[in-house]
Amino acid sequence: MLKVQRRANGDVVFTVSGRLDADNVGELSASLAAEPAGRPLVLDLKDLVLVDRDAVRFLRLCEGNGIVLRNCPPYIRAWMAREGEQP
């Protein structure tokens, strides 16, 4: 189950908790896309407990597009690095 909470105080912070997988990446992507341009976006991943490969690829894209990944668990960060090394 995925839970996403939004708060704005200068930055727009989405706190993501639970499981992020191929089935719900679209939901999070739509929430991010709905934000007006120009405000810094942050994904706070401190309560994210499980991801799949699609979620890792999505998080890499987010970071590549300037979205800050805050409190990213080390295993996710390592997986993201490995995905970046693949051709």
Coordinates of all heavy atoms in Angstrom, one line a residue:
M1 N 0.8 -1.2 0.0 CA 0.0 0.0 0.0 C 0.9 1.2 0.0 O 1.9 1.3 0.7 CB -0.9 0.0 1.2 CG -1.8 1.2 1.3 SD -3.0 1.0 2.6 CE -2.9 2.6 3.3
L2 N 0.5 2.2 -0.8 CA 1.3 3.5 -0.9 C 0.4 4.6 -0.2 O -0.8 4.7 -0.4 CB 1.5 3.8 -2.3 CG 2.2 5.1 -2.6 CD1 3.7 5.0 -2.1 CD2 2.2 5.5 -4.0
K3 N 1.1 5.4 0.5 CA 0.5 6.6 1.1 C 1.4 7.8 0.7 O 2.6 7.7 0.9 CB 0.4 6.5 2.6 CG -0.3 7.6 3.3 CD -0.4 7.4 4.8 CE -1.0 8.6 5.4 NZ -1.1 8.4 6.9
V4 N 0.7 8.8 0.2 CA 1.5 10.0 -0.2 C 0.8 11.2 0.5 O -0.4 11.4 0.4 CB 1.4 10.2 -1.7 CG1 2.2 11.5 -2.1 CG2 2.1 9.1 -2.4
Q5 N 1.6 12.0 1.2 CA 1.1 13.2 1.9 C 1.8 14.4 1.3 O 3.1 14.3 1.1 CB 1.3 13.1 3.4 CG 0.5 12.1 4.1 CD 0.8 12.1 5.6 OE1 1.9 12.0 6.0 NE2 -0.3 12.2 6.4
R6 N 1.1 15.4 1.0 CA 1.7 16.6 0.4 C 1.6 17.8 1.5 O 0.6 18.0 2.2 CB 0.8 17.1 -0.8 CG 1.3 18.3 -1.5 CD 0.3 18.8 -2.4 NE 0.8 20.0 -3.1 CZ 0.7 21.3 -2.6 NH1 0.2 21.5 -1.4 NH2 1.2 22.3 -3.3
R7 N 2.7 18.5 1.5 CA 2.7 19.7 2.3 C 3.6 20.8 1.6 O 4.5 20.4 0.9 CB 3.2 19.5 3.7 CG 4.6 19.1 3.9 CD 5.0 18.9 5.4 NE 6.1 18.0 5.5 CZ 7.3 18.5 5.5 NH1 7.6 19.7 5.3 NH2 8.4 17.6 5.6
A8 N 3.2 22.0 1.7 CA 4.0 23.1 1.1 C 4.3 24.1 2.0 O 3.5 24.6 2.8 CB 3.1 23.6 -0.1
N9 N 5.6 24.5 2.1 CA 6.1 25.6 2.9 C 7.4 26.1 2.2 O 8.5 25.7 2.6 CB 6.4 25.1 4.3 CG 6.8 26.2 5.2 OD1 6.6 27.4 4.9 ND2 7.3 25.9 6.4
G10 N 7.2 26.8 1.1 CA 8.3 27.1 0.2 C 8.5 26.0 -0.8 O 8.1 26.1 -2.0
D11 N 9.1 24.9 -0.4 CA 9.2 23.7 -1.2 C 7.8 22.9 -1.1 O 7.1 23.0 -0.1 CB 10.3 22.7 -0.7 CG 11.6 23.3 -0.8 OD1 11.8 24.3 -1.6 OD2 12.5 22.8 -0.1
V12 N 7.5 22.1 -2.1 CA 6.4 21.2 -2.1 C 7.0 19.9 -1.8 O 7.8 19.3 -2.5 CB 5.6 21.2 -3.4 CG1 4.5 20.2 -3.3 CG2 5.1 22.6 -3.7
V13 N 6.6 19.3 -0.6 CA 7.2 18.0 -0.1 C 6.1 17.0 -0.2 O 5.0 17.1 0.4 CB 7.7 18.2 1.3 CG1 8.3 16.8 1.8 CG2 8.8 19.3 1.4
F14 N 6.4 15.9 -0.8 CA 5.6 14.7 -0.9 C 6.2 13.7 0.0 O 7.3 13.2 -0.3 CB 5.4 14.2 -2.3 CG 4.5 15.1 -3.2 CD1 5.1 16.1 -3.9 CD2 3.2 14.9 -3.2 CE1 4.3 16.9 -4.7 CE2 2.4 15.7 -4.0 CZ 3.0 16.7 -4.8
T15 N 5.6 13.3 1.1 CA 6.1 12.2 2.0 C 5.5 10.9 1.5 O 4.3 10.8 1.4 CB 5.8 12.5 3.4 OG1 6.3 13.7 3.8 CG2 6.3 11.4 4.3
V16 N 6.4 10.0 1.1 CA 6.0 8.7 0.5 C 6.2 7.6 1.5 O 7.3 7.5 2.0 CB 6.8 8.5 -0.8 CG1 6.3 7.2 -1.5 CG2 6.6 9.6 -1.8
S17 N 5.2 6.9 1.8 CA 5.4 5.8 2.7 C 4.7 4.5 2.2 O 3.8 4.5 1.4 CB 4.8 6.1 4.1 OG 3.7 6.9 4.1
G18 N 5.2 3.4 2.7 CA 4.7 2.1 2.3 C 5.5 1.5 1.1 O 6.7 1.6 1.1
R19 N 4.7 1.0 0.1 CA 5.3 0.3 -1.1 C 5.1 1.2 -2.3 O 4.0 1.6 -2.6 CB 4.7 -1.0 -1.3 CG 4.9 -2.0 -0.2 CD 4.1 -3.2 -0.4 NE 4.5 -4.3 0.4 CZ 4.3 -5.6 0.2 NH1 3.6 -5.9 -0.9 NH2 4.8 -6.5 1.0
L20 N 6.2 1.4 -3.1 CA 6.1 2.1 -4.3 C 6.5 1.0 -5.4 O 7.6 0.5 -5.4 CB 7.1 3.3 -4.4 CG 7.1 4.1 -5.7 CD1 5.7 4.7 -5.9 CD2 8.1 5.2 -5.6
D21 N 5.5 0.7 -6.3 CA 5.8 -0.3 -7.3 C 5.1 0.2 -8.6 O 4.5 1.2 -8.7 CB 5.3 -1.6 -6.9 CG 3.8 -1.7 -6.5 OD1 3.0 -0.9 -7.0 OD2 3.5 -2.5 -5.6
A22 N 5.2 -0.7 -9.6 CA 4.7 -0.4 -11.0 C 3.2 0.0 -10.9 O 2.8 0.8 -11.7 CB 5.0 -1.6 -11.9
D23 N 2.5 -0.6 -10.0 CA 1.0 -0.4 -10.0 C 0.7 1.0 -9.5 O -0.4 1.5 -9.8 CB 0.4 -1.4 -9.1 CG 0.4 -2.8 -9.6 OD1 0.6 -2.9 -10.9 OD2 0.4 -3.8 -8.8
N24 N 1.6 1.7 -8.7 CA 1.2 3.0 -8.2 C 2.2 4.1 -8.5 O 2.0 5.2 -8.0 CB 0.9 2.9 -6.7 CG 2.1 2.3 -5.9 OD1 3.2 2.4 -6.3 ND2 1.7 1.6 -4.8
V25 N 3.2 3.8 -9.3 CA 4.1 4.9 -9.8 C 3.3 6.0 -10.5 O 3.6 7.2 -10.4 CB 5.2 4.3 -10.7 CG1 5.9 5.4 -11.5 CG2 6.3 3.6 -9.8
G26 N 2.3 5.6 -11.3 CA 1.5 6.5 -12.1 C 0.8 7.5 -11.2 O 0.7 8.7 -11.5
E27 N 0.3 7.0 -10.0 CA -0.4 7.9 -9.1 C 0.6 9.0 -8.6 O 0.2 10.2 -8.5 CB -0.9 7.0 -7.9 CG -1.5 7.8 -6.8 CD -1.8 6.9 -5.6 OE1 -2.0 5.7 -5.7 OE2 -1.9 7.5 -4.5
L28 N 1.8 8.6 -8.2 CA 2.7 9.6 -7.7 C 3.2 10.5 -8.8 O 3.3 11.7 -8.6 CB 3.9 8.9 -7.1 CG 5.0 9.7 -6.5 CD1 4.5 10.7 -5.4 CD2 6.1 8.9 -5.9
S29 N 3.4 10.0 -10.0 CA 3.8 10.8 -11.1 C 2.7 11.8 -11.4 O 3.0 13.0 -11.7 CB 4.0 9.9 -12.3 OG 4.4 10.6 -13.4
A30 N 1.4 11.4 -11.4 CA 0.3 12.4 -11.6 C 0.3 13.5 -10.6 O 0.1 14.7 -10.9 CB -1.0 11.7 -11.7
S31 N 0.6 13.2 -9.3 CA 0.6 14.2 -8.3 C 1.7 15.2 -8.5 O 1.5 16.4 -8.3 CB 0.8 13.5 -6.9 OG -0.3 12.7 -6.6
L32 N 2.9 14.7 -8.9 CA 4.0 15.6 -9.2 C 3.7 16.5 -10.4 O 4.0 17.6 -10.4 CB 5.3 14.8 -9.4 CG 5.8 14.0 -8.2 CD1 6.9 13.1 -8.6 CD2 6.3 15.0 -7.1
A33 N 3.1 15.9 -11.4 CA 2.8 16.6 -12.7 C 1.8 17.7 -12.4 O 1.7 18.7 -13.1 CB 2.4 15.7 -13.7
A34 N 0.9 17.5 -11.4 CA -0.2 18.5 -11.2 C 0.4 19.7 -10.5 O -0.4 20.7 -10.4 CB -1.2 17.8 -10.3
E35 N 1.6 19.7 -10.0 CA 2.1 20.9 -9.3 C 2.5 22.0 -10.3 O 3.0 21.7 -11.4 CB 3.4 20.5 -8.5 CG 3.1 19.6 -7.3 CD 2.2 20.3 -6.3 OE1 2.4 21.6 -6.0 OE2 1.3 19.7 -5.7
P36 N 2.2 23.2 -9.9 CA 2.6 24.3 -10.8 C 4.1 24.4 -11.0 O 4.9 24.1 -10.1 CB 2.1 25.6 -10.1 CG 1.4 25.1 -8.9 CD 1.6 23.7 -8.7
A37 N 4.5 24.8 -12.2 CA 6.0 24.9 -12.5 C 6.6 26.0 -11.7 O 5.9 26.9 -11.3 CB 6.2 25.2 -14.0
G38 N 7.9 25.8 -11.3 CA 8.6 26.9 -10.6 C 8.8 26.6 -9.2 O 9.7 27.2 -8.6
R39 N 8.0 25.8 -8.6 CA 8.2 25.5 -7.1 C 9.1 24.2 -7.0 O 8.9 23.2 -7.7 CB 6.9 25.2 -6.4 CG 6.1 26.5 -6.4 CD 4.9 26.4 -5.5 NE 5.2 26.4 -4.1 CZ 4.3 26.2 -3.1 NH1 3.1 26.1 -3.4 NH2 4.7 26.2 -1.9
P40 N 10.1 24.3 -6.1 CA 10.9 23.1 -5.9 C 10.1 21.9 -5.3 O 9.3 22.1 -4.4 CB 11.9 23.6 -4.8 CG 11.9 25.1 -4.9 CD 10.5 25.4 -5.3
L41 N 10.3 20.8 -5.9 CA 9.6 19.6 -5.5 C 10.6 18.7 -4.7 O 11.8 18.5 -5.1 CB 9.1 18.8 -6.7 CG 8.0 19.5 -7.5 CD1 7.6 18.7 -8.7 CD2 6.8 19.9 -6.6
V42 N 10.1 18.0 -3.6 CA 10.9 17.1 -2.8 C 10.1 15.9 -2.6 O 8.9 15.9 -2.3 CB 11.2 17.8 -1.4 CG1 12.0 16.8 -0.6 CG2 12.0 19.1 -1.6
L43 N 10.7 14.7 -2.7 CA 10.1 13.5 -2.3 C 10.8 13.0 -1.0 O 12.0 12.8 -1.1 CB 10.3 12.4 -3.4 CG 9.5 12.5 -4.7 CD1 9.8 11.5 -5.7 CD2 8.0 12.5 -4.3
D44 N 10.1 13.0 0.0 CA 10.7 12.5 1.3 C 10.4 11.0 1.4 O 9.2 10.6 1.5 CB 10.1 13.2 2.5 CG 10.8 12.9 3.8 OD1 11.4 11.9 3.9 OD2 10.7 13.7 4.7
L45 N 11.4 10.2 1.4 CA 11.3 8.7 1.3 C 11.6 8.0 2.6 O 11.8 6.8 2.6 CB 12.2 8.2 0.2 CG 12.1 8.9 -1.2 CD1 13.1 8.3 -2.2 CD2 10.7 8.7 -1.7
K46 N 11.6 8.8 3.7 CA 12.0 8.1 5.0 C 11.1 7.0 5.4 O 11.6 6.1 6.0 CB 12.1 9.2 6.1 CG 10.7 9.7 6.5 CD 10.9 10.7 7.6 CE 9.5 11.2 8.0 NZ 9.5 12.1 9.1
D47 N 9.9 7.0 5.0 CA 9.0 5.9 5.3 C 8.7 4.9 4.2 O 7.8 4.1 4.3 CB 7.7 6.5 5.9 CG 7.9 7.3 7.1 OD1 8.7 6.9 8.0 OD2 7.2 8.3 7.3
L48 N 9.5 5.0 3.1 CA 9.3 4.1 2.0 C 10.0 2.7 2.4 O 11.2 2.7 2.8 CB 9.9 4.7 0.8 CG 9.7 3.9 -0.5 CD1 8.2 3.9 -0.9 CD2 10.4 4.6 -1.7
V49 N 9.2 1.6 2.4 CA 9.8 0.4 2.8 C 10.1 -0.6 1.7 O 10.9 -1.5 1.9 CB 8.9 -0.3 3.9 CG1 8.8 0.6 5.1 CG2 7.5 -0.5 3.3
L50 N 9.5 -0.5 0.6 CA 9.7 -1.5 -0.5 C 9.5 -0.8 -1.8 O 8.5 0.0 -2.0 CB 8.7 -2.6 -0.3 CG 8.9 -3.8 -1.2 CD1 10.2 -4.5 -0.9 CD2 7.8 -4.8 -1.0
V51 N 10.3 -1.1 -2.8 CA 10.2 -0.6 -4.1 C 10.5 -1.8 -5.1 O 11.1 -2.8 -4.7 CB 11.2 0.5 -4.4 CG1 10.9 1.8 -3.6 CG2 12.7 0.1 -4.3
D52 N 10.1 -1.6 -6.3 CA 10.4 -2.5 -7.4 C 11.3 -1.8 -8.4 O 11.6 -0.6 -8.3 CB 9.2 -3.2 -8.0 CG 8.3 -2.3 -8.8 OD1 8.6 -1.1 -9.0 OD2 7.2 -2.8 -9.2
R53 N 11.7 -2.5 -9.5 CA 12.5 -1.9 -10.5 C 11.9 -0.7 -11.2 O 12.6 0.3 -11.4 CB 12.9 -3.0 -11.5 CG 13.9 -2.5 -12.5 CD 14.3 -3.6 -13.4 NE 15.7 -3.5 -13.7 CZ 16.4 -4.3 -14.4 NH1 15.8 -5.4 -14.8 NH2 17.6 -4.1 -14.7
D54 N 10.6 -0.8 -11.4 CA 9.9 0.4 -12.1 C 10.0 1.6 -11.2 O 10.2 2.7 -11.7 CB 8.5 0.0 -12.4 CG 8.4 -1.0 -13.5 OD1 9.1 -0.9 -14.5 OD2 7.5 -1.9 -13.4
A55 N 9.8 1.4 -9.9 CA 9.9 2.5 -8.9 C 11.3 3.1 -8.9 O 11.4 4.3 -8.9 CB 9.4 2.0 -7.6
V56 N 12.3 2.3 -8.9 CA 13.7 2.7 -8.9 C 13.9 3.6 -10.2 O 14.5 4.6 -10.1 CB 14.7 1.6 -8.8 CG1 16.1 2.0 -9.0 CG2 14.6 1.0 -7.4
R57 N 13.5 3.1 -11.3 CA 13.7 3.8 -12.5 C 12.9 5.2 -12.5 O 13.4 6.2 -12.9 CB 13.2 3.0 -13.7 CG 14.2 1.9 -14.0 CD 13.7 1.0 -15.1 NE 14.7 0.0 -15.4 CZ 14.5 -1.0 -16.2 NH1 13.3 -1.2 -16.8 NH2 15.4 -1.9 -16.4
F58 N 11.7 5.2 -11.9 CA 11.0 6.4 -11.8 C 11.7 7.4 -10.9 O 11.8 8.6 -11.2 CB 9.6 6.1 -11.2 CG 8.8 7.3 -10.8 CD1 8.2 8.1 -11.7 CD2 8.6 7.6 -9.5 CE1 7.5 9.2 -11.4 CE2 7.9 8.7 -9.1 CZ 7.4 9.5 -10.0
L59 N 12.2 6.9 -9.7 CA 13.0 7.8 -8.8 C 14.2 8.4 -9.5 O 14.5 9.5 -9.3 CB 13.3 7.0 -7.5 CG 12.1 6.7 -6.7 CD1 12.6 5.8 -5.5 CD2 11.4 7.9 -6.1
R60 N 14.9 7.6 -10.3 CA 16.0 8.1 -11.0 C 15.6 9.2 -12.0 O 16.3 10.2 -12.1 CB 16.7 7.0 -11.8 CG 17.6 6.1 -11.0 CD 18.3 5.0 -11.8 NE 18.8 5.5 -13.1 CZ 20.0 6.1 -13.3 NH1 20.8 6.4 -12.2 NH2 20.4 6.5 -14.5
L61 N 14.5 9.0 -12.7 CA 14.0 10.1 -13.6 C 13.6 11.3 -12.8 O 13.9 12.4 -13.3 CB 12.7 9.5 -14.3 CG 13.0 8.6 -15.5 CD1 11.7 8.0 -16.0 CD2 13.8 9.3 -16.6
C62 N 13.0 11.1 -11.7 CA 12.6 12.3 -10.8 C 13.8 13.1 -10.5 O 13.9 14.3 -10.7 CB 11.9 11.8 -9.5 SG 10.2 11.3 -9.8
E63 N 14.8 12.4 -10.0 CA 16.1 13.1 -9.6 C 16.7 13.8 -10.8 O 17.2 14.9 -10.7 CB 17.0 12.1 -8.9 CG 18.1 12.8 -8.2 CD 18.9 11.8 -7.3 OE1 19.3 10.8 -7.8 OE2 19.0 12.1 -6.1
G64 N 16.7 13.1 -11.9 CA 17.3 13.7 -13.1 C 16.5 14.9 -13.6 O 17.1 15.8 -14.3
N65 N 15.2 15.0 -13.2 CA 14.4 16.2 -13.6 C 14.4 17.3 -12.5 O 13.6 18.2 -12.5 CB 13.0 15.7 -13.8 CG 12.9 15.0 -15.1 OD1 13.6 15.3 -16.1 ND2 12.0 14.0 -15.2
G66 N 15.3 17.1 -11.5 CA 15.5 18.2 -10.5 C 14.7 18.0 -9.2 O 14.7 18.9 -8.4
I67 N 14.0 16.9 -9.1 CA 13.2 16.6 -7.9 C 14.2 16.1 -6.8 O 14.9 15.2 -7.1 CB 12.1 15.7 -8.1 CG1 11.1 16.3 -9.1 CG2 11.4 15.3 -6.8 CD1 10.0 15.3 -9.6
V68 N 14.2 16.7 -5.7 CA 15.1 16.3 -4.6 C 14.5 15.0 -3.9 O 13.3 14.9 -3.6 CB 15.2 17.4 -3.5 CG1 16.1 16.9 -2.4 CG2 15.8 18.6 -4.2
L69 N 15.4 14.0 -3.7 CA 15.0 12.8 -3.0 C 15.6 12.9 -1.6 O 16.8 12.8 -1.4 CB 15.5 11.5 -3.7 CG 15.1 11.3 -5.1 CD1 15.7 10.0 -5.6 CD2 13.6 11.4 -5.3
R70 N 14.8 13.2 -0.6 CA 15.2 13.4 0.7 C 15.0 12.1 1.5 O 14.0 11.4 1.4 CB 14.4 14.5 1.4 CG 14.8 14.9 2.8 CD 14.0 16.0 3.3 NE 14.2 17.3 2.5 CZ 13.3 18.3 2.5 NH1 12.2 18.2 3.2 NH2 13.6 19.4 1.8
N71 N 16.0 11.8 2.4 CA 15.9 10.6 3.3 C 15.7 9.3 2.5 O 15.0 8.4 2.9 CB 14.7 10.8 4.3 CG 14.9 11.9 5.2 OD1 16.0 12.2 5.7 ND2 13.8 12.7 5.4
C72 N 16.4 9.2 1.4 CA 16.3 8.1 0.5 C 17.1 6.9 1.2 O 18.3 7.0 1.5 CB 17.0 8.3 -0.8 SG 16.8 7.0 -2.0
P73 N 16.4 5.8 1.4 CA 17.0 4.6 2.1 C 18.3 4.2 1.3 O 18.3 4.2 0.1 CB 16.0 3.6 2.1 CG 14.7 4.3 2.1 CD 15.0 5.5 1.2
P74 N 19.3 3.8 2.0 CA 20.6 3.4 1.3 C 20.4 2.3 0.3 O 21.0 2.3 -0.8 CB 21.5 2.9 2.5 CG 20.9 3.6 3.7 CD 19.5 3.8 3.5
Y75 N 19.5 1.3 0.6 CA 19.4 0.2 -0.4 C 18.7 0.7 -1.7 O 19.1 0.3 -2.8 CB 18.6 -0.9 0.2 CG 17.1 -0.9 0.0 CD1 16.4 -1.4 -1.1 CD2 16.3 -0.2 1.0 CE1 15.0 -1.4 -1.2 CE2 14.9 -0.1 0.8 CZ 14.3 -0.7 -0.2 OH 12.9 -0.7 -0.4
I76 N 17.9 1.7 -1.6 CA 17.3 2.3 -2.8 C 18.3 3.1 -3.6 O 18.4 3.0 -4.8 CB 16.0 3.2 -2.5 CG1 14.9 2.3 -1.9 CG2 15.5 3.9 -3.7 CD1 13.7 3.0 -1.4
R77 N 19.1 3.9 -2.9 CA 20.2 4.7 -3.5 C 21.2 3.8 -4.2 O 21.6 4.1 -5.3 CB 20.8 5.5 -2.4 CG 21.8 6.6 -2.9 CD 21.3 7.6 -3.8 NE 20.5 8.6 -3.1 CZ 19.9 9.6 -3.8 NH1 20.0 9.6 -5.1 NH2 19.2 10.4 -3.2
A78 N 21.5 2.7 -3.6 CA 22.5 1.7 -4.2 C 21.9 1.1 -5.5 O 22.5 1.0 -6.5 CB 22.9 0.7 -3.2
W79 N 20.6 0.8 -5.4 CA 19.9 0.2 -6.5 C 19.8 1.2 -7.7 O 20.0 0.9 -8.8 CB 18.5 -0.3 -6.1 CG 17.8 -1.2 -7.1 CD1 18.2 -1.5 -8.3 CD2 16.5 -1.8 -6.9 NE1 17.2 -2.3 -8.9 CE2 16.2 -2.5 -8.0 CE3 15.7 -1.9 -5.8 CZ2 15.1 -3.3 -8.1 CZ3 14.5 -2.6 -5.9 CH2 14.2 -3.3 -7.1
M80 N 19.5 2.5 -7.3 CA 19.5 3.5 -8.3 C 20.9 3.6 -9.1 O 20.9 3.8 -10.3 CB 19.1 4.8 -7.7 CG 17.6 4.9 -7.3 SD 17.3 6.4 -6.3 CE 17.6 7.7 -7.5
A81 N 21.9 3.5 -8.3 CA 23.3 3.6 -8.9 C 23.5 2.5 -9.8 O 24.1 2.7 -10.9 CB 24.3 3.7 -7.8
R82 N 23.1 1.3 -9.4 CA 23.3 0.1 -10.3 C 22.5 0.2 -11.6 O 23.0 -0.1 -12.6 CB 22.9 -1.2 -9.5 CG 23.9 -1.6 -8.5 CD 23.7 -3.0 -8.0 NE 22.3 -3.2 -7.5 CZ 21.9 -3.0 -6.3 NH1 22.8 -2.6 -5.4 NH2 20.7 -3.3 -5.9
E83 N 21.3 0.8 -11.5 CA 20.5 1.0 -12.7 C 21.1 1.9 -13.6 O 21.0 1.8 -14.8 CB 19.1 1.5 -12.3 CG 18.1 0.4 -11.7 CD 17.7 -0.6 -12.8 OE1 17.4 -0.2 -13.9 OE2 17.7 -1.8 -12.4
G84 N 21.8 2.9 -13.1 CA 22.5 3.9 -13.9 C 23.7 3.3 -14.6 O 24.2 3.9 -15.7
E85 N 24.2 2.2 -14.1 CA 25.4 1.6 -14.8 C 25.1 0.7 -15.9 O 25.9 0.3 -16.7 CB 26.2 0.8 -13.7 CG 26.8 1.7 -12.6 CD 27.3 0.9 -11.4 OE1 27.2 -0.4 -11.5 OE2 27.8 1.5 -10.5
Q86 N 23.8 0.3 -16.0 CA 23.4 -0.6 -17.0 C 23.2 0.1 -18.4 O 22.8 1.2 -18.4 CB 22.1 -1.3 -16.7 CG 22.2 -2.2 -15.4 CD 20.9 -2.9 -15.1 OE1 20.0 -2.8 -15.8 NE2 21.0 -3.6 -14.0
P87 N 23.6 -0.6 -19.5 CA 23.5 0.0 -20.8 C 22.0 0.2 -21.2 O 21.1 -0.3 -20.8 CB 24.2 -1.0 -21.7 CG 24.2 -2.3 -21.0 CD 24.1 -1.9 -19.5

